[in-house]
Amino acid sequence: MNSPTKKRIVLKIGSNTLTRETNHISRGKIEDIARQIEALKESYEFIVVSSGAIAAAKQFVNLESNGKEIYVKQALASIGQLHLMRIYQENFRELGLLISQCLLSYSDFKSNTSKENIVNTINILLENEYIPIINENDTVATDEIKFGDNDKLAAMTAALLKADLLIIATNTNGIYTKASLQSEQPETIKEVIGFESLIQEVADGKSSHGTGGMKSKVDAVEIASKAGIETWIVNGLKENFIVEAVKNTSAFTTIKPKNL
Ligand code: GLU
């Protein structure tokens, strides 16, 4: 059951945010996320969808690929997931926040039994004030490794868990207008109603948006919108990006579903 008093937020943090666009996981960024979740916890409950397993592993190991790049990435994800969760746990615990790990794949969203299990587990975690941290189960699936960086997984999770809001952290101040990109003075689109309007706006936009680029953001927004969920695309590289968006004091894009 959703909390009667708290809004449920699914927060998607991609590898580019977690590494602050470097080659290693940024403890500072994870600390920044923990601090914000702590600051907002009276009114919001968070489900975090986090990539970064492969990036974490690359700090420690170098596996030969011999042309089997995707398998190597899966192996790196398996090695790095523990390091990633350790870094989350160390930083969240400092602030008294409890975390748990859930590894999911797209196929889990096709089976009614799996879906029921996901919902029941995550609801119990949230009721007990644990913050579920979800990543793709990269041993059994490669969808998000190949394309997407967990954008779609986050939207599917938001729909299944009846979230009130999906926040996708990326490396730009939301979506920029086509005209402003052409003139190289990016200007954020504040609000669009319906994902169809977003498609029109970004059809040939050229800003960079993580490994999935803009396409996986649009796919994610479509899934969330169809489930009646609002999506915010925010700049995860900025300090305090969640709190600033909640207070509406930063530039970000809101995509409202048509039926709200
Ligand atoms: N599940 C992968 C990871 O956590 C996603 C890889 C990515 O696209 O960054 O590393």
Side-chain angles (χ1 to χ4, degrees):
M1 273 257 298
N2 287 43
S3 159
T5 50
K6 294 185 188 182
K7 278 195 164 183
R8 181 171 287 188
I9 296 181
V10 170
L11 171 66
K12 185 263 163 172
I13 309 285
S15 302
N16 58 6
T17 300
L18 275 187
T19 58
R20 284 182 162 146
E21 301 190 310
T22 66
N23 288 328
H24 57 271
I25 300 291
S26 161
R27 284 181 168 268
K29 182 43 69 183
I30 294 191
E31 204 184 298
D32 176 44
I33 295 163
R35 228 181 7 244
Q36 298 182 70
I37 291 181
E38 211 278 325
L40 294 166
K41 74 176 186 203
E42 293 312 318
S43 310
Y44 301 90
E45 59 185 16
F46 283 86
I47 298 164
V48 177
V49 177
S50 174
S51 333
I54 297 171
K58 282 184 175 164
Q59 287 173 234
F60 301 100
V61 290
N62 179 21
L63 301 182
E64 288 301 319
S65 77
N66 294 328
K68 300 200 170 76
E69 264 147 49
I70 198 74
Y71 304 153
V72 166
K73 282 188 175 169
Q74 289 177 273
L76 286 171
S78 165
I79 295 165
Q81 181 66 20
L82 281 80
H83 292 289
L84 180 66
M85 294 309 287
R86 175 176 50 75
I87 302 171
Y88 266 106
Q89 191 164 42
E90 285 167 2
N91 284 283
F92 276 55
R93 195 170 44 200
E94 284 283 301
L95 299 174
L97 298 174
L98 301 165
I99 62 160
S100 72
Q101 171 190 270
C102 304
L103 298 179
L104 307 176
S105 60
Y106 291 0
S107 62
D108 299 325
F109 291 81
K110 291 189 186 131
S111 141
N112 285 339
T113 312
S114 303
K115 284 201 289 191
E116 208 181 305
N117 286 331
I118 296 168
V119 171
N120 291 339
T121 304
I122 292 182
N123 279 338
I124 296 282
L125 288 165
L126 292 171
E127 279 163 28
N128 287 281
E129 297 193 0
Y130 274 77
I131 300 158
I133 303 194
I134 295 172
N135 196 353
E136 183 176 53
N137 187 349
D138 293 321
T139 305
V140 302
T142 56
D143 302 274
E144 296 285 355
I145 294 182
K146 286 189 184 139
F147 169 78
D149 195 20
N150 284 349
D151 289 330
K152 194 168 157 191
L153 188 70
M156 289 160 84
T157 302
L160 183 62
L161 272 302
K162 299 190 171 23
D164 297 292
L165 178 64
L166 169 64
I167 299 182
I168 298 181
T170 186
N171 55 357
T172 54
N173 294 339
I175 314 289
Y176 299 134
T177 62
K178 264 196 242 178
S180 75
L181 280 173
Q182 273 145 18
S183 63
E184 294 189 1
Q185 290 193 315
E187 195 186 305
T188 301
I189 301 167
K190 289 211 165 57
E191 186 176 302
V192 292
I193 315 273
F195 67 92
E196 296 90 344
S197 332
L198 186 68
I199 294 172
Q200 285 181 3
E201 214 19 87
V202 299
D204 47 17
K206 47 182 174 173
S207 82
S208 93
H209 281 276
T211 56
M214 209 42 235
K215 167 83 173 83
S216 70
K217 304 278 173 298
V218 174
D219 289 352
V221 168
E222 178 173 356
I223 294 168
S225 294
K226 284 184 173 162
I229 300 167
E230 184 167 311
T231 305
W232 296 355
I233 300 183
V234 305
N235 192 340
L237 298 177
K238 300 232 165 110
E239 289 289 297
N240 226 19
F241 62 97
I242 313 164
V243 172
E244 296 285 339
V246 168
K247 290 196 302 194
N248 209 3
T249 48
S250 60
F252 68 98
T253 303
T254 296
I255 303 101
K256 286 193 191 292
K258 264 191 182 148
N259 52 349
L260 272 195

